[in-house]
Amino acid sequence: SCTLIRGSYKMMYDVGCPELDGREYIELNNIDADPEEMKDMSSTKPGITNEMLQTIKAKLAEGTSRIYK
């Protein structure tokens, strides 16, 4: 699993764990407005969600390419 914090937004991302049956888990929270992280905003903030998800996936791909070279 990975976490990315950008400004007041925090994204949690996971993929590949058996509990998810191969699906992705994405959660976006506004940690200033919702410090207990009770409200997932990933569906209501698609622009921020996509931007942060692409950043996470790029970093994961970068790290994987270093491991398997």
Side-chain angles (χ1 to χ4, degrees):
S1 68
C2 299
T3 300
L4 174 65
I5 297 173
R6 182 170 290 157
S8 59
Y9 291 102
K10 175 181 175 183
M11 174 174 278
M12 291 176 283
Y13 174 76
D14 201 353
V15 67
C17 69
E19 297 83 13
L20 296 174
D21 294 324
R23 296 181 314 257
E24 294 179 311
Y25 172 80
I26 300 166
E27 184 175 324
L28 180 71
N29 301 103
N30 182 323
I31 54 179
D32 288 337
D34 179 22
E36 294 177 354
E37 301 176 22
M38 301 298 288
K39 184 178 179 189
D40 177 14
M41 302 178 71
S42 60
S43 63
T44 60
K45 297 284 187 185
I48 294 167
T49 299
N50 289 332
E51 177 187 327
M52 291 180 74
L53 184 58
Q54 293 309 314
T55 300
I56 287 174
K57 287 184 174 183
K59 292 293 183 183
L60 288 172
E62 181 182 307
T64 302
S65 69
R66 289 182 189 167
I67 293 170
Y68 293 108
K69 279 191 175 181

